Amino acid sequence: YEDLFAEFWGPWRHQLSLGLTTWEEDDVSHRSDCHAWGSAPIYEFLAEVAGIRPAMPGWEELEFVPRVSLFPSLDATVPFLRRGKMTLAKVSWHSSNGETTVALRFEGVVEPVSVHVKLPGQPTMVTNSSEKMSFSCTRV
């Protein structure tokens, strides 16, 4: 994934340079029917780069697998619906001298969330929290 990341985003960056705000159907007419798959780049970034995905139906548990090797720093907000309530996962990281500090916090969570955390070079850990979580890892 990391090896093909820049190439993967090439078509989307090109479309943004054309002033397009929705994914085009083809690169000849630049027409967009605003199909749901047009949001694929947004989903891809939040699920694969920021690393927030459901680990169980209804977002009862989350998987957190940030790809910290892609950017030296990142701030992302991932919205999801949990127990009928809009919830926000705030993901951030900052790298310095080969070390990356990763943070995850929730807004709109009343009960703790079980989070399956997988960071580079570390075993998967499961933590329950409704507060800010911080992790440190080596950037690969």
Side-chain angles (χ1 to χ4, degrees):
Y1 189 92
E2 284 80 358
D3 292 342
L4 297 174
F5 183 75
E7 184 179 333
F8 173 80
W9 287 93
W12 182 246
R13 285 190 176 116
H14 175 68
Q15 290 178 39
L16 289 174
S17 74
L18 297 173
L20 301 178
T21 57
T22 59
W23 193 261
E24 62 187 4
E25 301 289 321
D26 63 68
D27 61 356
V28 176
S29 66
H30 303 294
R31 187 181 113 226
S32 174
D33 290 335
C34 296
H35 290 128
W37 58 262
S39 63
I42 296 168
Y43 174 81
E44 184 73 19
F45 193 84
L46 298 177
E48 292 296 332
V49 178
I52 297 289
R53 295 186 284 265
M56 291 188 66
W59 294 82
E60 282 301 311
E61 294 184 9
L62 274 69
E63 184 177 81
F64 182 45
V65 187
R67 294 186 188 265
V68 297
S69 64
L70 294 174
F71 296 100
S73 63
L74 179 100
D75 285 301
T77 301
V78 182
F80 60 95
L81 194 63
R82 182 173 188 260
R83 299 182 181 174
K85 186 173 181 188
M86 180 57 66
T87 305
L88 301 176
K90 302 278 191 160
V91 176
S92 64
W93 68 72
H94 175 74
S95 297
S96 179
N97 299 325
E99 279 292 309
T100 301
T101 302
V102 181
L104 171 63
R105 68 180 175 86
F106 298 106
E107 290 182 5
V109 170
V110 177
E111 300 172 27
V113 179
S114 182
V115 182
H116 302 252
V117 181
K118 177 66 176 141
L119 297 170
Q122 297 181 16
T124 300
M125 64 182 117
V126 179
T127 183
N128 292 310
S129 183
S130 58
E131 299 179 8
K132 183 176 180 178
M133 296 170 267
S134 291
F135 311 96
S136 183
C137 63
T138 303
R139 197 169 162 174
V140 180

